[in-house]
Amino acid sequence: MKIEFAPPDVPLPRRLQTAAVLQWVFSFLGLAPCCIVLFFVLLFTRFWLISALYAAWWFVDWDTPSRGGRRLNFLCDLSVWYHMRDYFPVRLVKTADLDPRKNYVFGFHPHGILVAGAFTNFCTLSTGFPSLYPGLTPHLLMLPLWFRAPFFRDYIMFAGLVPSDKDSASYLLQRPEGGKVVVIAVGGAPEALDARPGAYTLLLANKKGFIKLAMEHGAPLVPVFSFGENELFNQVDNPRGTLLRWVQERLQRLMGVSLPLFHARGVFQYSFGLMPFRKPIHTVVGKPIPVQQNEKPTDEELNDLHERYMSELSQLFEEHKGKFGVPEDKHLTFV
């Protein structure tokens, strides 16, 4: 394989963009294990008190992730996130106003490999969420597993991330003052196994937990489609029914995280690596679907709202796909 190296005269802004995305990829893939190792290594050095004090703090602070976390807007507004935004670039597209007196459930699609669009739009201020939706604060849901990693848990809470369990989401949606947005990558980790350029398959047909959550709290549902999310990485072929897919799905059920074999480009060359391609991401936020509060919805009521949500999401996709380079013959497939 011929390696295509980056030219030596790459402008400084592009170098900064690459550095910003490199630290984000490392944070996503490697920071949690490093934090765990650091915590235990410090216990056997003269700096053991750091880990001991952190353990005490962790005990006191245990419930914070499920109580709205600890979002710090000044950290979400650092220049590194603007460089990351411009790397792809990422754009947030508004289609309707949202009432800041209400709480909302955003269904984010597709998951992609590393949910780059969701993180950039809802965990940083770089794409202008506060100005587009004044009075609303987004909280992206993440696997509870990551909130058990010392030090790392604080890092992700600073970005507004909260555990993807019912208690954490309910805490935000029941805030009487409103203004809370729970962002759920509905397909979750399993959907990442189908993430590849040109793919429009969503793991949604039997995903009704977020629908029930919205009904229990009377929170309007907002479909969100991130055009370009699946274009960032290539993935080793793993069709359903193959041995590789069986192993990946088995590991996902055991570990809670999926292990897609993805690749894209490197830092100093464009032929291979774990850095995403420079492909534009346009995250389109749809119109809110009104939801009547119903703490014990019947299966029929749940199915009706689920069908309406899928219909609204399909309509959102069809209305905007032409603007963002999706061929006319491409449509969403729900599995």
Side-chain angles (χ1 to χ4, degrees), residues 20-282:
V21 173
L22 177 62
Q23 68 81 30
W24 173 73
V25 171
F26 168 73
S27 297
F28 201 102
L29 299 178
L31 185 56
C34 289
C35 287
I36 294 171
V37 171
L38 177 64
F39 177 82
F40 286 106
V41 167
L42 288 175
L43 287 173
F44 299 96
T45 70
R46 59 177 177 168
F47 302 108
W48 63 270
L49 188 59
I50 295 176
S51 291
L53 290 175
Y54 184 85
W57 158 253
W58 194 0
F59 178 79
V60 173
D61 197 53
W62 182 264
D63 290 331
T64 298
S66 59
R67 295 295 180 268
R70 192 182 293 110
R71 184 184 178 100
L72 297 180
N73 280 337
F74 81 92
L75 291 179
C76 300
D77 200 31
L78 294 176
S79 60
V80 64
W81 306 126
Y82 291 84
H83 292 308
M84 178 177 168
R85 174 201 66 189
D86 294 337
Y87 174 92
F88 299 98
V90 183
R91 297 289 181 265
L92 184 63
V93 181
K94 174 182 177 180
T95 63
D97 291 329
L98 299 180
D99 187 348
R101 296 169 297 180
K102 296 179 180 179
N103 299 313
Y104 295 87
V105 174
F106 279 20
F108 181 87
H109 313 270
H111 182 283
I113 297 291
L114 299 182
V115 285
F119 180 88
T120 308
N121 286 301
F122 305 122
C123 296
T124 81
L125 305 184
S126 63
T127 57
F129 185 94
S131 58
L132 290 173
Y133 301 102
L136 294 176
T137 302
H139 293 270
L140 179 63
L141 270 59
M142 190 176 188
L143 284 174
L145 169 70
W146 303 119
F147 293 87
R148 301 187 186 115
F151 305 123
F152 184 73
R153 67 187 288 275
D154 300 277
Y155 174 75
I156 57 180
M157 276 198 292
F158 291 156
L161 288 152
V162 296
S164 56
D165 55 48
K166 185 176 180 180
D167 289 343
S168 300
S170 294
Y171 179 85
L172 294 167
L173 294 175
Q174 65 190 11
R175 306 310 296 167
E177 68 275 14
K180 300 298 183 183
V181 176
V182 171
V183 184
I184 304 174
V186 178
E191 192 175 84
L193 298 177
D194 289 318
R196 52 177 45 84
Y200 300 99
T201 299
L202 302 182
L203 196 61
L204 181 60
N206 296 307
K207 292 280 188 176
K208 300 176 184 178
F210 75 108
I211 301 290
K212 186 176 182 181
L213 178 71
M215 295 183 75
E216 289 175 344
H217 296 280
L221 282 161
V222 181
V224 179
F225 195 88
S226 194
F227 291 90
E229 195 75 37
N230 282 343
E231 309 301 314
L232 305 184
F233 297 94
N234 292 320
Q235 185 173 175
V236 174
D237 286 340
N238 59 343
R240 297 173 188 275
T242 61
L243 176 61
L244 173 58
R245 185 57 172 259
W246 181 86
V247 170
Q248 288 176 319
E249 291 176 342
R250 188 77 172 181
L251 288 173
Q252 193 278 322
R253 286 193 290 269
L254 290 173
M255 302 167 57
V257 295
S258 63
L259 298 172
L261 299 179
F262 65 93
H263 56 93
R265 52 158 289 186
V267 177
F268 302 110
Q269 46 75 30
Y270 304 138
S271 301
F272 60 89
L274 299 181
M275 288 284 289
F277 295 122
R278 284 180 178 266
K279 298 287 186 177
I281 300 173
H282 295 90

